[in-house]
Amino acid sequence: MASAETPAVPEAEAEAVVESTPPPPTEVEPPPETKTAGDSPSIDYLGLGEVVLRFLLFASAVVAVVVIVTSEQTKNSRPAKFNYSPALIYFVAAVSVLGLYSIITTLFSFYALILKPGFFPQVLSHFIIVDVLLLGIVSAATGSAGAIAYTGLKGNSHLGWGKVCAVYGKFCRYVGASVAVSLFASVVLAFLVLLSVYSLSKKIPK
């Protein structure tokens, strides 16, 4: 029984087959990543506005307290001081608390904005409650102090109260300036409440 012999492949054809085989693909290293301006973290403009407004609130509160505390004036051995009026004492106390609160919240807001951006909404959720409470307190204190200042400027003919500002001009000017600055602080605080509500509304998933 004859064995079947396989035909021999010529050497030239074998070399052609080897040469036609494609080489294995070589791994190409990816180019190094280059950071562009678009890769930088985006600026939280709402958070930045929050910090700026809180700093303005602190500055206005300090100015209002300093002005009214230094408003003392003496005429004919009779001094005029803010602590002679319960309304002005309440005004100084309320604005002082506002100044202390505003510097604390400014530092916390700046820390949350720069170092812990994800923590900022939680900070706002706590601040907004106190903001609304202080807005009512400071607005009431500003209104009561303004009423005292207006009475000192115009007097009250029905009650026989004279125009105190005609005698204590410096005292009345300082009180009026302090009330005006406090009114500005109340407006800033109102904007802070609106900004906080808007910032928190954007964090709510739709």
Side-chain angles (χ1 to χ4, degrees), residues 18-197:
V18 172
E19 291 179 356
S20 62
T21 304
T26 58
E27 296 182 357
V28 180
E29 296 182 358
E33 295 182 358
T34 57
K35 293 185 178 181
T36 60
D39 296 334
S40 59
S42 59
I43 301 175
D44 187 359
Y45 290 102
L46 293 177
L48 183 60
E50 178 94 8
V51 174
V52 172
L53 287 178
R54 291 195 180 277
F55 179 77
L56 285 177
L57 185 64
F58 166 71
S60 58
V62 170
V63 170
V65 171
V66 170
V67 169
I68 196 171
V69 167
T70 58
S71 64
E72 180 181 354
Q73 184 182 7
T74 302
K75 285 283 187 176
N76 300 325
S77 301
R78 292 183 179 181
K81 301 179 181 180
F82 77 91
N83 53 3
Y84 288 172
S85 170
L88 295 182
I89 294 176
Y90 168 60
F91 173 77
V92 172
V95 179
S96 299
V97 171
L98 177 64
L100 179 61
Y101 168 76
S102 58
I103 187 59
I104 294 175
T105 54
T106 299
L107 296 177
F108 268 99
S109 298
F110 184 77
Y111 172 78
L113 179 65
I114 300 300
L115 300 180
K116 290 186 176 182
F119 187 64
F120 193 73
Q122 301 180 16
V123 173
L124 285 182
S125 63
H126 291 83
F127 285 169
I128 190 173
I129 300 174
V130 186
D131 288 346
V132 173
L133 180 63
L134 280 179
L135 177 59
I137 294 175
V138 174
S139 298
T142 303
S144 62
I148 294 297
Y150 182 81
T151 303
L153 179 63
K154 298 295 184 179
N156 192 323
S157 59
H158 301 286
L159 298 176
W161 294 348
K163 299 179 181 180
V164 179
C165 293
V167 180
Y168 299 98
K170 173 196 170 184
F171 176 76
C172 289
R173 288 194 303 270
Y174 276 50
V175 172
S178 181
V179 170
V181 177
S182 176
L183 181 61
F184 172 76
S186 300
V187 174
V188 172
L189 193 54
F191 275 113
L192 268 173
V193 172
L194 294 176
L195 183 62
S196 299
V197 171

Side-chain angles (χ1 to χ4, degrees), residues 4-18:
E5 296 181 358
T6 58
V9 180
E11 294 182 0
E13 293 183 3
E15 292 178 357
V17 170
V18 172

